[in-house]
Amino acid sequence: MSTVIAGSPPDSAIDNKLFLRMYRRMVMIRLFEEQVNDLYTRALMPGLAHLYIGEEAIAVGVCEALRADDYITSTHRGHGHCLAKGAAIDRMFAELLGKEAGYCKGKGGSMHIADPDTGNLGANAIVAGSAGIATGAAFSSKRLGNGRVTVCFFGEGALGQGVVYEVMNMAALWKLPVIYVCENNMYNEYTHISETAAGDILARGPAFGVPSESVDGQDVRAVYAVTKRLVDRARKGEGPAFLMANTYRFMGHHVGDISREYYRSKQEEQKWKSERDPIKVATEAILAQKITDQAALDQIQSEVKAEIENGVQFAMAAPYPNVDKVEQDVYA
Amino acid sequence: MSTVIAGSPPDSAIDNKLFLRMYRRMVMIRLFEEQVNDLYTRALMPGLAHLYIGEEAIAVGVCEALRADDYITSTHRGHGHCLAKGAAIDRMFAELLGKEAGYCKGKGGSMHIADPDTGNLGANAIVAGSAGIATGAAFSSKRLGNGRVTVCFFGEGALGQGVVYEVMNMAALWKLPVIYVCENNMYNEYTHISETAAGDILARGPAFGVPSESVDGQDVRAVYAVTKRLVDRARKGEGPAFLMANTYRFMGHHVGDISREYYRSKQEEQKWKSERDPIKVATEAILAQKITDQAALDQIQSEVKAEIENGVQFAMAAPYPNVDKVEQDVYA
Amino acid sequence: MPETAVAVRELTLGEAVREALAEEMRRDSRVFIMGEDVAEAGTAFKVLSGLVQEFGPDRVLDTPISEPGFTGIGVGAGMTGMRPVVDIMFGDFAGLIMDQMANQAAKIHYMSGGKWKCSMVLRTTLGATRRSAAQHSQSLHAWFCHIPGLKVVMPSTPYDAKGLLKSAIRDDNPVVFYEDKMMYKLKGPVPEEDYTIPLGVADVKRQGDDITIIATSSMVQVALGAARLLEEQGVSAEVVDPRTLWPLDEKTLIDSAKKTSRVIVVDEGYGRYGATAELASVIQENAFFDLEAPVKRMGAMHVPIPFSPPLEDATVPNERTVCEAALALCGK
Amino acid sequence: MPETAVAVRELTLGEAVREALAEEMRRDSRVFIMGEDVAEAGTAFKVLSGLVQEFGPDRVLDTPISEPGFTGIGVGAGMTGMRPVVDIMFGDFAGLIMDQMANQAAKIHYMSGGKWKCSMVLRTTLGATRRSAAQHSQSLHAWFCHIPGLKVVMPSTPYDAKGLLKSAIRDDNPVVFYEDKMMYKLKGPVPEEDYTIPLGVADVKRQGDDITIIATSSMVQVALGAARLLEEQGVSAEVVDPRTLWPLDEKTLIDSAKKTSRVIVVDEGYGRYGATAELASVIQENAFFDLEAPVKRMGAMHVPIPFSPPLEDATVPNERTVCEAALALCGK
Ligand SMILES: Cc1ncc(C[n+]2csc(CCOP(=O)(O)OP(=O)(O)O)c2C)c(N)n1
Ligand SMILES: Cc1ncc(C[n+]2csc(CCOP(=O)(O)OP(=O)(O)O)c2C)c(N)n1
Ligand SMILES: [Mg+2]
Ligand SMILES: [Mg+2]
């Protein structure tokens, strides 16, 4: 599953502060998502949500390699991307609950969180729906000469959408600063990638002029390192790249997807959870390298937990938008 | 430009009768298209047409490698495909003139000629518009077990449409008997392929699980030979293939595209016309191999000429459909 | 509904759809299903559970997330002897397949002068108030209704769903079949014996004298609820369900309008340039001199569908708003 | 039209479009054009000739034949500081881009709670009778009109085209701008000085007392011709051009209807579930008690557009048929 990336720096090349920051961010996403699941289970959240648990290292490793003003586009499974790019927990929860204080005034919900302040062009509920948007943002950056890079996150399911190849081709022709990050968790909803993708996924980028790499999506350092390299390259005007991060979603396709044995085995899930949990992988490395001790990590966990609790309380207490807001924001 | 195909049989492997039949068919397409141009120039034809002159060896080489009941789908530049698959000259002209006696009762016109009797699923005026249809026809053949193969013709411009990759991926997953024949004449209308395609075109098929080859599209024997091999493979259940035939259109994008210097030079055109004319290439081989003599070829030319003249006369004399037919054929 | 003395079996709308498919698949080996997660998962809505077990993966095919591609394959398969039932999970994805449906499926019969037929069914969904936000809540059937060559079916009860789906599958034209996501669990009588309901026949779901409510799909139940409220206020409402928006049974609609002299049209699509405009126009064109008041249209608000529950609920007609509009129209 | 004593300059509609683009590109460096063959070729209709010479290939970009992809790039560019003008050669290709326009461009502002804006113009064409057959002759604007978040502009004169296009480019929302292919050569006065026409303001193209003809785009000239024929018969027709179908200037339409008491709506889109239905509904809803007769709708026949000239001509309204309908409505 994991692939050694030529040119990845050794572990030590990532400085300790950064590693701990990434650790904290992964924990934040994990606890956020557990809280979302809990809200759903207790019937406190309208609709559904697609949890990112198990894939935290990708969002965090990628976004740490970006500037604050770089852009991302996200997906239906987008909470992790938004948080990694700097979204505030309380306004995230408020949006998930449809409250006025949410990032989109409650109009977007879980699948549409967007935020200009953190360069988040928006999560998207159309599979591959943001491929064009991300490429267009990269087009703007190139024209405006502002040095911004755009990361387009999508699942491997998006490889089924032809528009992805259309925009990669143009990104290559026009040398646009965009990185296509494919989170390959091996399932399109309830169908395994082997049933939906023929040929060689990593060969697809180059066939359209986009250099491609793969990375172990459970190792935040590896993700960070390869992304940094691709982002630097893009920022220098050397064009787009495709990065496949191999990963696994630990939970269901959405919060309601509880009985999963008909499409994947409990053993498979268990193996990933016990052996390839990105937070465990990071914890082990941090302790092995003596970057800090278990007590300090526990401290981070409890700090984050408090933030999450504050955030959810804020959101629960926040008011819904007034009905007369429904016709606002249709046109600018 | 031309590529030697591993496994192509030597010239002598194509029997003489077949070679002469292919010669005749290429001449037929050439003279047909010259007649179309003439009709346009004399303002006798409604609308426009996209001439196939220069590319005859592809349609003929491919279609000769097919069974009568095999399917093809065609394009806006489709007269050659239709004729090569067996369409009658008179009904072709009648359709181009919008007459009731045409293949589509005048309702389709130049870009929509279709004919179940010759397995022609229809020309298509949407670039890549028949990629899905061709793949679906191959799906039917596989399910119905009727052994039919489908050839999907398209220009290299269609490589811009993502749907092509979507259906190739499914054709590979499901091992469908379909051959994607890309007629690479290097121009999408007035824009050179180098401005519209990044990466490696021939790598695209394999990236989606579809084996790919290229062939000299000006040599009818080479086209025939490689197609035969790919078709046999598909008929045996071994799945789809992608064939890029390198070629050149000798005339404008459409009959009205007269001044072309702003997008391609006269020298380039002249070089192709004098050195790579598929009919000349065939003539030289026929004479060199003494398959027949010049007089016999002249005889073929004049026979075909007479057929064309009869055909166009038939069409000119044929009546338009009655206006009350306009609401027929909307629903089956 | 068939008249019968004994109580008939009750099925949910989802079960009725599944039963129609199962029966048609048993009856005709050319019928097959393709779409995302239709096999083992039985669709995201679990409507097709069990079918792959009975008919096998060759007839219930999981596809990649390639709506344009597999819809196109459906078109081609439907032209060449198969009877595909293509599953588009959310009606919002219509935007991806309009070329295949409107330019290919709808036109092949006509463009070929009646020679090719495209027998396919596209099953998809509509309906808001599921807290699925702007890209998963739309009712975009007006797009399909606009295109000559397509038929559009919108059942409102389990009984109608089964009978109409069977007719759709047996039809030789492309038919778009809409299922309201919120109605999948709605129960209603469905007899055991084989029956079909012809396309193009409206159904008076409730007799009344004072006002006609023409309603489609999801809105039929809303209209019936409104009619009960109106009854309490002494207003007798007739509820007419066109059942198919194309072909459209104008006569039944017009007759009811003439009888009651007041008409409301209710549909869950966006109100502007939507299906209600056509239905209202048909009424005013043909019953103008019998009308006491202008035809009142009620559709979804002209806003993208918001996530936040109180906002979303405000965007679509409900029993109360329909009742109020009816009272106003009756001058009460 | 501005009142002026001296004769103003005449331009064709195509020239007016080009001039609007050139002026806006000079005025605002963020404006750029992308599409197939827009640069050296100046589009298939030669409307943009000369622009690449003035603004260079970075601002007038030839794209691959990837409508979904480059429309998506336009959406993203329009969100991030550029002002793209995306060129879709034939309006028939709308089917390829509805997801980008309806699910992305139209909704981003709302879904983000008003945070992101998408300022882009999609220029495309409509109109039949060019002998281009079913896939190159449609007027599909009703699809866009149906979608909240989009604006739809349909100029009918060179003057309007220039003034409206400039407003469209300066607008902060996605605007679809329709040009009638048959009207590119139509001449009309266009003053030299800078002017804009606000979106949402109808124009009474001709004053009259007996009947109102509401007409859009291509049909405005038809309506004016019909009005001249009617004049000869002693019927005074008012011709009202909404100019933008969204926002819609309901008041001007309704006032005219109230004044004349008889209304015909003429539009070149398919009549069924088309733009005429909305316009007729607006009239009957708001002027019902002033009408002497039902609002008459005239659109394209409910058939795919046939190639054969006599058939094609029968499918769209013309001066004679509009005149006859008007006489019938006036009881003559
Ligand atoms: C165009 C489109 N088709 C189908 C869906 C329904 N859908 C939502 S998520 C999903 C699976 C996506 O799989 P992948 O891209 O691998 O992302 P993951 O859920 O694994 O993160 C599907 C089919 C959709 N939202 N958009
Ligand atoms: C979807 C779509 N986009 C654009 C066009 C307009 N168009 C017609 S032919 C053509 C160029 C096609 O180039 P290619 O596929 O290489 O075929 P060729 O004309 O060279 O045979 C274009 C852009 C179209 N018909 N369909
Ligand atoms: Mg996945
Ligand atoms: Mg070409």
Side-chain angles (χ1 to χ4, degrees), chain B residues 119-168:
Chain B
N120 181 349
L121 289 161
N124 211 307
I126 301 294
V127 167
S130 64
I133 293 172
T135 311
F139 183 93
S140 289
S141 299
K142 176 150 185 175
R143 281 295 176 280
L144 299 171
N146 59 25
R148 293 178 172 186
V149 171
T150 301
V151 165
C152 178
F153 287 106
F154 51 81
E156 84 296 335
L159 296 173
Q161 293 286 347
V163 70
V164 167
Y165 309 102
E166 297 186 9
V167 299
M168 288 209 298

Side-chain angles (χ1 to χ4, degrees), chain A residues 71 91 103-105 107-108 112 114-116 119-122 124 126 129 132-133 135-137 139-140 143-144 163 166-167 169-170 173-174 325-326 328-332, chain D residues 32 34 58 61-64 66-70 72-73 75-77 79-80 82 99-100 103-104 108-117 148-151 172-173 246:
Chain A
Y71 292 119
R91 299 180 60 203
Y103 270 107
C104 312
K105 304 184 193 160
K107 286 175 174 164
H112 301 291
D115 176 30
N120 181 350
L121 290 161
N124 211 306
I126 301 294
I133 292 172
T135 311
F139 183 94
S140 289
R143 281 295 177 278
L144 299 171
V163 70
E166 298 185 9
V167 298
N169 182 53
M170 285 181 271
L173 285 168
W174 303 336
K325 299 284 171 67
V326 69
Q328 261 181 21
D329 303 320
V330 180
Y331 292 95
Chain D
F32 73 99
M34 68 194 315
D58 274 3
L61 271 96
D62 278 337
T63 62
S66 305
E67 286 85 358
F70 69 75
I73 291 176
V75 178
M79 289 172 66
T80 50
M82 300 296 288
D99 184 64
Q100 295 299 331
N103 279 332
Q104 310 301 341
I108 278 154
H109 187 63
Y110 193 83
M111 291 193 307
S112 68
K115 300 254 184 71
W116 289 107
K117 287 188 284 211
L150 301 179
K151 297 186 178 181
D172 278 340
N173 299 284
W246 198 265

Side-chain angles (χ1 to χ4, degrees), chain B residues 69-73 115-116 119-122 132-146 148-150, chain C residues 30 32 72-84 108 115-120 172:
Chain B
D69 67 344
D70 283 337
Y71 292 119
I72 63 163
T73 64
D115 176 29
N120 181 349
L121 289 161
I133 293 172
T135 311
F139 183 93
S140 289
S141 299
K142 176 150 185 175
R143 281 295 176 280
L144 299 171
N146 59 25
R148 293 178 172 186
V149 171
T150 301
Chain C
R30 300 167 304 171
F32 72 100
I73 291 176
V75 177
M79 289 172 67
T80 50
M82 300 295 289
R83 295 194 163 263
I108 277 154
K115 299 253 184 71
W116 288 108
K117 287 188 284 211
C118 175
S119 51
M120 76 182 281
D172 277 340

